Amino acid sequence: MSEPTFLTPRWRRWITPANVITLLVVLFLGPRLLPHVGALVGVESGDHQRPSFSVTTLDAQPVTDSTLRGHVVLVNFWATWCLPCRAEMPLLQAMANRHGQEGLVVLGLSVDRTGPDAVTAFLRQRTITYPVAIVGRDIETAFGGVQGYPTSVLLDRTGRVRYKVVGPLAMASLEPAVRRLLRDTTGAPR
């Protein structure tokens, strides 16, 4: 019986532990990194749905999908126990400061179950001032589900999901997407 062609000496030299590990890493990270690359270059990863939601922020302000229409909205699902979430929060705050006058709203949606006092203290320690609400699975479902934390969803001025990325690289990859959406005044208040 002859040896299968994929195991000929020519192919055997390519099947090394390092190549197998590299292939597995690419297969694992590829689907997670593609939305980030898409946001950088303008290939949308959102499903264009218009999520319907209503939350109350920690400072008792109601926020709904309709009150945010006309703004570019960066929704960030996070938790106090999530180390990548903690790492990106100062970058989210900087983005909110940098683009707030142009119409960007950063909305943090905490999935913590420790209660509002613990989340408020956490935010105060880190001088996070953008609006934050504590939410449950129903709000995650409204945004098409959340596969991991942090997850960032970028909505255009009409409330459509244009980009959805998982992981702490959101600020680096979403900055160009935010700028593109801020330049597009379709749906902006007059």
Side-chain angles (χ1 to χ4, degrees):
M1 186 156 101
S2 67
E3 194 173 62
T5 56
F6 69 91
L7 289 179
T8 61
R10 183 176 166 186
W11 281 103
R12 212 177 277 155
R13 72 172 179 236
W14 289 104
I15 302 175
T16 65
N19 286 346
V20 170
I21 290 170
T22 300
L23 178 63
L24 292 174
V25 167
V26 167
L27 290 174
F28 177 75
L29 291 179
R32 289 158 182 78
L33 293 178
L34 283 177
H36 291 277
V37 174
L40 279 170
V41 298
V43 177
E44 296 181 13
S45 60
D47 56 12
H48 292 121
Q49 71 171 345
R50 284 189 172 86
S52 177
F53 64 95
S54 177
V55 298
T56 302
T57 63
L58 293 171
D59 60 351
Q61 298 300 310
V63 176
T64 68
D65 54 297
S66 47
T67 62
L68 293 172
R69 291 279 156 72
H71 297 279
V72 173
V73 182
L74 179 58
V75 178
N76 180 257
F77 288 90
W78 67 281
T80 58
W81 46 261
C82 167
L83 294 179
C85 301
R86 290 176 177 211
E88 82 174 352
M89 289 183 94
L91 301 172
L92 286 166
Q93 183 63 56
M95 186 180 275
N97 295 344
R98 188 169 48 254
H99 297 297
Q101 294 296 322
E102 302 166 62
L104 175 69
V105 173
V106 174
L107 175 62
L109 298 180
S110 169
V111 296
D112 282 282
R113 300 293 167 246
T114 57
D117 293 339
V119 175
T120 300
F122 177 88
L123 296 169
R124 194 174 300 118
Q125 289 173 340
R126 287 157 180 78
T127 60
I128 302 300
T129 61
Y130 54 82
V132 172
I134 298 175
V135 299
R137 293 271 184 224
D138 58 326
I139 300 298
E140 289 181 354
T141 301
F143 283 88
V146 173
Q147 302 302 315
Y149 304 107
T151 291
S152 295
V153 180
L154 187 60
L155 308 175
D156 66 15
R157 293 180 190 272
T158 67
R160 285 185 325 146
V161 174
R162 299 288 288 273
Y163 300 94
K164 185 174 185 178
V165 296
V166 178
L169 301 175
M171 296 314 85
S173 58
L174 287 178
E175 178 73 24
V178 165
R179 289 181 185 185
R180 282 191 300 275
L181 291 179
L182 287 171
R183 283 192 302 267
D184 180 3
T185 57
T186 306
R190 301 190 186 271

